């Protein structure tokens, strides 16, 4: 009875509240004067930056894939506590998700949220770079911070393996920080995130087009 109440009432309500808060926080950018600044930063992204960050994304993805093959525990997320496990067996499929992009799952509204997210990427990247890269003294310090950078993402609900794999991203941004300061690391961080979010946006569009065509075919 308690589980049904959680699944049918509490959990959906919490998800909607979280989605509204996330969307509101991103929407503020449209009125606080940062929109033009963010768009200018995005326009500074070059094709070479995209190519480099695609390689880093591939490295992160391959590392996560390899870790999940080593042990299903790397697919675990704290969100797993809210999912039933049969006979205590850990599912080998990734059990987490990034709660920070949860609104993308809302039909049609997900497209609006994704666009808001895209124009906020530079500001979000700068916040993370100031938190993790600013003041990094050397590569030993950079390695520790990069590991911390990756594992911090697990707080958003992604699997442990993703957090570990994101250490590659942290090391890449650290390299850029040493090469050109926080502005350069922020630009590469923005490029990295923009590639991923743009792919998700394209998937959403394709999904909606397919659903519309299926409805018309009925």
């Amino acid at each position: 009875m308690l589980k049904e109440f959680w699944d049918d009432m509490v959990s959906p309500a919490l998800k909607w509240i979280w989605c509204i808060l996330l969307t509101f926080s991103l929407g503020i950018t449209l009125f606080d004067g940062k929109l033009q600044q963010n768009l200018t930063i995005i326009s500074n992204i070059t094709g070479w930056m995209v190519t480099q960050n695609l390689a880093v994304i591939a490295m992160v993805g391959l590392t996560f894939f390899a870790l999940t093959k080593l042990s299903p525990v790397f697919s675990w997320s704290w969100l797993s506590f809210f999912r039933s496990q049969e006979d205590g067996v850990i599912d080998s499929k990734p059990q987490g998700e990034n709660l920070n992009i949860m609104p993308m799952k809302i039909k049609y509204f997900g497209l609006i949220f994704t666009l808001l997210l895209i124009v906020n990427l530079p500001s979000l990247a700068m916040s993370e770079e100031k938190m993790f890269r600013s003041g990094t003294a050397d590569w030993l310090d950079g390695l520790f911070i990069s590991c911390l950078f990756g594992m911090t993402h697990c707080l958003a609900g992604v699997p442990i393996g993703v957090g570990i794999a994101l250490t590659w991203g942290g090391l890449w941004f650290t390299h850029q920080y040493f090469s050109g300061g926080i502005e350069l690391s922020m630009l590469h961080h923005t490029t990295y995130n923009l590639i991923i979010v743009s792919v998700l946006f394209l998937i959403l569009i394709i999904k909606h087009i397919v659903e519309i065509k299926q409805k018309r075919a009925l």
Side-chain angles (χ1 to χ4, degrees):
M1 184 69 177
L2 184 60
K3 185 180 184 300
E4 292 180 355
F5 176 72
W6 173 270
D7 292 340
D8 296 338
M9 300 292 293
V10 179
S11 182
L14 290 176
K15 289 179 179 178
W16 271 104
I17 291 173
W18 179 242
C19 289
I20 291 172
L21 289 175
L22 284 174
T23 305
F24 178 76
S25 66
L26 294 178
I28 292 176
T29 303
L30 300 177
F31 307 99
D32 65 0
K34 291 183 180 179
L35 178 60
Q36 187 58 49
Q37 179 183 348
N38 286 344
L39 292 177
T40 299
I41 292 172
I42 292 174
S43 68
N44 289 331
I45 295 174
T46 66
W48 178 232
M49 288 181 181
V50 172
T51 302
Q52 289 175 309
N53 283 279
L54 275 172
V56 178
I57 291 171
M59 180 67 74
V60 171
L62 288 172
T63 300
F64 174 58
F65 177 78
L67 288 173
T68 56
K69 292 301 179 182
L70 286 176
S71 172
V73 73
F74 291 111
S75 296
W76 185 88
S77 160
W78 64 266
L79 292 175
S80 304
F81 286 123
F82 301 96
R83 298 180 180 178
S84 60
Q85 301 291 338
E86 296 182 1
D87 301 324
V89 177
I90 300 177
D91 192 349
S92 60
K93 297 181 180 179
Q95 301 168 24
E97 62 176 309
N98 192 334
L99 296 179
N100 291 328
I101 59 173
M102 182 183 289
M104 284 186 183
K105 293 184 176 182
I106 302 176
K107 192 171 183 179
Y108 300 124
F109 178 78
L111 295 172
I112 299 174
F113 173 83
T114 307
L115 288 174
L116 282 174
L117 180 58
I118 287 175
V119 298
N120 275 276
L121 288 178
S123 295
L124 296 173
M126 178 59 83
S127 296
E128 290 193 19
E129 290 306 298
K130 287 181 178 179
M131 182 184 300
F132 292 101
R133 242 67 61 187
S134 183
T136 303
D138 50 42
W139 272 110
L140 183 60
D141 187 24
L143 177 60
F144 171 74
I145 293 298
S146 295
C147 293
L148 182 62
F149 166 78
M151 295 308 296
T152 299
H153 286 75
C154 293
L155 296 176
V158 301
I160 293 176
V162 172
I164 295 174
L166 282 171
T167 300
W168 290 116
L171 291 171
W172 172 245
F173 303 143
T174 299
H175 167 67
Q176 298 303 325
Y177 175 74
F178 288 152
S179 299
I182 199 168
E183 293 292 337
L184 184 59
S185 64
M186 177 275 295
L187 188 56
H188 276 270
H189 197 155
T190 299
T191 305
Y192 180 100
N193 289 338
L194 181 60
I195 293 170
I196 295 175
V197 176
S198 295
V199 170
L200 293 176
F201 184 65
L202 181 60
I203 291 174
L204 283 176
I205 292 177
I206 294 174
K207 179 181 178 181
H208 289 319
I209 291 175
V210 171
E211 289 179 350
I212 291 173
K213 286 186 176 181
Q214 288 177 340
K215 287 183 179 181
R216 288 180 177 178
L218 294 177

